[in-house]
Structure formats: structure tokens, C-alpha cells
Amino acid sequence: MKLLYFAWLRTRIGCGEEEIDVPAEVATVADLLRWLEGRGDGYAAALARPDLVRVAVNQEFASAETPVTAGDEVALFPPVTGG
Amino acid sequence: MKLLYFAWLRTRIGCGEEEIDVPAEVATVADLLRWLEGRGDGYAAALARPDLVRVAVNQEFASAETPVTAGDEVALFPPVTGG
Amino acid sequence: MASRVQEEDFDVGAEIGALTRGRTEIGGVAVFIGVVRDFIEDGTEKAPAEIRGMTLEHYPGMTEKMLSRIEEEANSRWPLLGSLIVHRVGRLDPGDNIVLVVCAAAHREDALQACSFLIDWLKTKAPFWKSEQTAQGEKWVKAKESDDALAARWEEG
Amino acid sequence: MASRVQEEDFDVGAEIGALTRGRTEIGGVAVFIGVVRDFIEDGTEKAPAEIRGMTLEHYPGMTEKMLSRIEEEANSRWPLLGSLIVHRVGRLDPGDNIVLVVCAAAHREDALQACSFLIDWLKTKAPFWKSEQTAQGEKWVKAKESDDALAARWEEG
């Protein structure tokens, strides 16, 4: 699975992009966020405020229930602030 | 009194500006319009549709009751269509 | 705050630049440009008539006064950091600019609302009159009730 | 209909000209330009902090997709004759342009409403993030609830 991190999620996790082999039991966005939190302090800090984390699966906004699979591009980022 | 006519009021009356000595009994905009209508065919044609005639006295929008006096600048024109 | 009536065209980029350059407290600029369309949209016509040109007449003196007053009103309603109205008069061709309204503010919503207000009020309160040239001859443009309705949105009370 | 993400500045007059030149069916053009302000307006700060610069990050690929989709939505809601979104990314200074939205229509109200809609949706649906440089260091800008409220005006149902 290709994971992308933006803005302060990127700076807290310490990288902008990584390829990860995610365990088979990770079936949804919610599963993925829970599993990522256990990967280390940077991840835990980045994901500590779930209300401030937005997710896109294959470049489409996703919810906690959105399914994820090995070939997906999943992006994590804070609420957008452009314009 | 200085009278100004704009748009189709100007073309129907046949001039854009004139100085007229108005009789003393012309005290309001309504009086003036009534008196002007009697001045000739062009005026009668121009003033035939009172709902389409707007008046400004000394460059301020006026109503039928607005007083007019000899030294005033009075403009007659249709509803505005700029912008 | 400035308003002008002129025969010459205006340069939209230059006007916006002159209003905003070096003004780093500005966060948003809203602009409206009115342009001469090449067809009449008179509700009573079967098919739109082709417009070959237009002449804009105005009431010198009163026009400038009304534009200033409308602009003051916008500045009293919204916290603007800059505003500009430029309105052309005289003979214009299809595609030519007619009017430019620019509003700058710290927040975009103030700029956008003030811009919308200015063009609505200008259309109903500033003494300009258009006559359009078509194959059938020259014709004074009728005032639109829809313009009164748009302007009435901003009346208080 | 066009949208672009770029590091370079844009020329407002040239962009409007390119969209409208020779298009004599256009009657009104509404434009919004977002600019880098030199102070932070974080409701929690006592005094506004001075901003020395800003960096705009985005999600390449998804950004372009969302901009196109937002623009399609505007074109489906209003009868636009032309529209453009240009959004800058990278390092910007106070006074620099951030975003340009242009909407052209036969009638001014369609152009103005579509322009307002586009900037509201763009602010809440397009994946851009700002970080601001102040004397206290670099800080990610927080999303504003007021932006959600402005965007929600356009939700249907």
C-alpha cells in the first residue's frame, strides 16, 4: 500500500511517502489508522487527534468505513487550508 | 430654471438642456411636469408615461412632491440602465 | 476609494495592481467587469437581436456624485481596504469593457459581498443610459425589473 | 473551463483577457484574487502576529482532480461561458498572489455567484495546506470553521 502524508502529519511522521505491507486484517480506513498508530511515536503523535485527520483513498475523500486494499494509494492529511 | 433631459426624453423633446422661466405657480416636481407637458408635442410625447420618468432636483433624486424654485437644476430621465 | 467616468478603456490588471500593490494587509480582491454583449435579451423579442454597438450617455456631475455615494455606502457596510469604480461612457463595440468594480478586504467574503453590492446599486442608482445599435436601428435599453430586485436585496429594514 | 496548479505568479489581466477575448456573448466577468496577508488572524492570539512568508503544500494529482471537479460543479449550477482556477504552491511572500478564480457569463449574477461558490468550495475541498513563517517560527494554519460555514451555504438539500 502506498501511504502519503501531508502538512503536519508529514512533519510528525517524518516522511511524506512510504510503501508499506499492511497486514491482511486491515480492511478499512479505521483499521489502517489504528494499525499505523502502533508503528511508533511519530505515528502516534500524528494520529493523536483523529478529528483533525482526513483520509483520501485513491485520491478520493474517504470515511472510517471506506475499504482499503494492498494496491491502494492512501493519503492522510489535516483539514485543508488553501485558497 | 435649468432643465436637463437624458436618453429618450432628450430625443423626444429634441434638446438636452434649456433655461426656462417657469411660472410662479409651479412649486413642485409634479407641477413642473404638468406644465412642461403643455409646452408642445415633443414634451407631451416625452412625458406621456409618467411611470417611466425619473426626476433629479439639483442632482438628487426627487419625488412628485419635491419643491422646485427658479434657480434649480432639474433633470428628467428614464430609469437608469448603466453598469 | 475612487470612482471615475471616462471614454477610454481601462486596463483591468493595471487598475487592480494600483489598488493593491504594497498593501500586505489585503487578503482578498473581488472584481467585476461588465462587457458589451452582442445580443439583446429583451424578454419580449422572439429571437435575440444582434447588437452592433452601444452608446452610453450619463448625467455629468450627478453621476460622479452618485458613484462616490454608492462607494461610501459599500465602505460603511464592509471593512474594505480599497475600492474602485470605473464606468465608461460614449460609443462602445461588442466585447468592449463597460464597467469595472474592484473591492479589496482582509477577508474574502467582505470583498465579494461589497463587489456584488456595488454593481447592483450602480445598475439602479447611477444615471447612465444605454442605447443599442441593431440592424433595426438604434433603441434605448429598457430598465430591468430583475435589476431592481437584485438591488433591493441590499436595502435595510 | 481550466484549472492549474503552479509555482509561478499569474498575471490577472492576461488571464482574464485570454478567457474573454473575442467572446462577445459574455456580459459579465467576476474575479477573485486571494493574496498573502502579513498578519495571522488566529482567534486565540492576543495580538496579530506578523507573517514573514508562507509555504503552500498540496497533493499532486488529487489537487488537479478536485479543482476540475469543483469547476465542473460550478458549470453545472450556473450557465458559465468560461471559468478558470489558478492556484499557486511553494514559498510565497506577503502581498503575493495565492489563487485566482475567474467566471464569465451572459448575466452578472451567474458570474458573481459562481465565483463566490468556487472560492468557498476550493477552500474546503481542494487539498492545499498553508504553513506561515513568523518571528516565533513556522506554524501550520488551522482550518477555519467560518470557511466550512461559507462552503455549506452551497450544499444542496
Side-chain angles (χ1 to χ4, degrees):
Chain A
M1 186 179 290
K2 184 181 183 184
L3 283 157
L4 301 173
Y5 312 112
F6 292 101
W8 52 258
L9 276 127
R10 174 175 55 71
T11 50
R12 287 189 196 165
I13 289 170
C15 82
E17 185 172 337
E18 56 184 340
E19 277 285 338
I20 310 189
D21 287 327
V22 169
E25 63 266 29
V26 170
T28 66
V29 164
D31 296 339
L32 177 66
L33 294 182
R34 214 161 14 232
W35 179 77
L36 279 173
E37 254 193 284
R39 291 195 85 223
D41 288 350
Y43 293 92
L47 301 171
R49 288 282 306 273
D51 56 317
L52 295 181
V53 177
R54 301 286 177 275
V55 181
V57 176
N58 298 324
Q59 305 188 354
E60 296 287 340
F61 283 107
S63 68
E65 296 75 41
T66 304
V68 292
T69 56
D72 286 343
E73 174 179 309
V74 181
L76 275 55
F77 46 78
V80 305
T81 55
Chain B
M1 187 178 291
K2 184 180 183 183
L3 284 156
L4 301 174
Y5 312 113
F6 292 101
W8 51 258
L9 275 126
R10 173 175 57 71
T11 51
R12 286 188 197 165
I13 289 171
C15 82
E17 185 174 336
E18 55 184 341
E19 276 287 336
I20 309 189
D21 287 325
V22 170
E25 63 267 28
V26 170
T28 66
V29 164
D31 296 339
L32 177 66
L33 293 181
R34 210 157 22 228
W35 180 78
L36 279 174
E37 257 194 282
R39 291 195 83 221
D41 288 352
Y43 292 91
L47 300 171
R49 288 281 306 273
D51 56 317
L52 294 180
V53 177
R54 301 288 177 273
V55 180
V57 175
N58 298 324
Q59 305 188 354
E60 296 287 340
F61 282 107
S63 69
E65 295 76 38
T66 304
V68 292
T69 57
D72 287 341
E73 173 178 309
V74 181
L76 275 55
F77 47 78
V80 305
T81 55
Chain C
M1 225 175 82
S3 55
R4 301 194 321 258
V5 179
Q6 63 187 40
E7 295 204 3
E8 317 81 67
D9 195 10
F10 46 79
D11 178 328
V12 176
E15 297 290 351
I16 297 172
L19 193 78
T20 60
R21 196 167 301 118
R23 303 283 307 280
T24 51
E25 78 279 28
I26 292 173
V29 184
V31 181
F32 179 79
I33 307 146
V35 180
V36 181
R37 263 206 314 275
D38 63 1
F39 65 92
I40 291 184
E41 45 124 33
D42 178 342
T44 64
E45 311 244 353
K46 269 138 259 148
E50 194 202 335
I51 293 180
R52 292 168 179 186
M54 174 180 280
T55 305
L56 261 148
E57 181 171 327
H58 78 125
Y59 181 174
M62 183 171 174
T63 314
E64 291 79 356
K65 191 192 282 192
M66 291 306 294
L67 291 182
S68 294
R69 202 176 292 171
I70 292 166
E71 206 181 359
E72 276 164 27
E73 181 69 28
N75 278 271
S76 78
R77 293 188 186 206
W78 291 277
L80 300 183
L81 297 168
S83 59
L84 173 70
I85 305 174
V86 184
H87 203 299
R88 294 181 69 189
V89 291
R91 165 84 194 173
L92 302 176
D93 290 319
D96 280 356
N97 293 323
I98 304 173
V99 63
L100 173 68
V101 173
V102 185
C103 293
H107 302 285
R108 76 180 184 285
E109 193 56 19
D110 292 326
L112 287 163
Q113 287 219 14
C115 182
S116 197
F117 165 86
L118 277 176
I119 188 72
D120 283 347
W121 268 35
L122 191 154
K123 283 222 160 229
T124 56
K125 294 177 199 283
F128 292 100
W129 301 274
K130 287 173 181 162
S131 73
E132 292 169 330
Q133 285 90 47
T134 69
Q136 289 76 47
E138 179 128 7
K139 201 169 153 187
W140 290 99
V141 174
K142 284 186 197 128
K144 286 192 285 183
E145 283 177 27
S146 60
D147 281 335
D148 289 333
L150 287 169
R153 296 184 297 179
W154 307 103
E155 299 291 347
E156 279 157 319
Chain D
M1 225 175 78
S3 54
R4 304 195 316 260
V5 179
Q6 63 187 40
E7 296 205 2
E8 318 82 70
D9 194 12
F10 45 79
D11 178 329
V12 175
E15 297 290 351
I16 296 172
L19 193 78
T20 59
R21 195 168 300 119
R23 303 284 306 282
T24 50
E25 78 278 29
I26 292 174
V29 184
V31 181
F32 179 80
I33 307 146
V35 180
V36 180
R37 263 206 314 277
D38 62 2
F39 65 92
I40 291 184
E41 45 123 35
D42 178 343
T44 65
E45 311 243 354
K46 270 138 261 149
E50 195 202 333
I51 293 179
R52 293 169 178 184
M54 174 181 279
T55 306
L56 262 148
E57 181 172 329
H58 78 124
Y59 181 174
M62 183 169 172
T63 313
E64 291 80 356
K65 192 191 281 190
M66 291 306 296
L67 291 183
S68 294
R69 202 175 294 171
I70 292 166
E71 205 182 359
E72 276 165 26
E73 181 68 29
N75 278 272
S76 77
R77 292 187 186 208
W78 291 277
L80 300 183
L81 297 168
S83 59
L84 172 70
I85 304 174
V86 184
H87 203 299
R88 295 180 69 190
V89 290
R91 164 85 193 170
L92 302 176
D93 291 318
D96 280 355
N97 292 323
I98 304 174
V99 63
L100 173 68
V101 173
V102 185
C103 293
H107 303 284
R108 76 180 184 285
E109 193 54 19
D110 292 324
L112 287 163
Q113 288 220 12
C115 182
S116 198
F117 165 86
L118 277 175
I119 188 70
D120 283 346
W121 268 36
L122 191 153
K123 283 222 158 228
T124 56
K125 294 177 198 282
F128 293 99
W129 301 274
K130 288 174 181 161
S131 73
E132 293 170 329
Q133 285 90 47
T134 69
Q136 289 76 47
E138 179 127 8
K139 203 171 152 186
W140 290 100
V141 175
K142 284 187 198 126
K144 286 193 285 184
E145 284 177 25
S146 60
D147 282 334
D148 289 334
L150 287 170
R153 295 183 296 180
W154 307 103
E155 298 293 345
E156 279 158 320

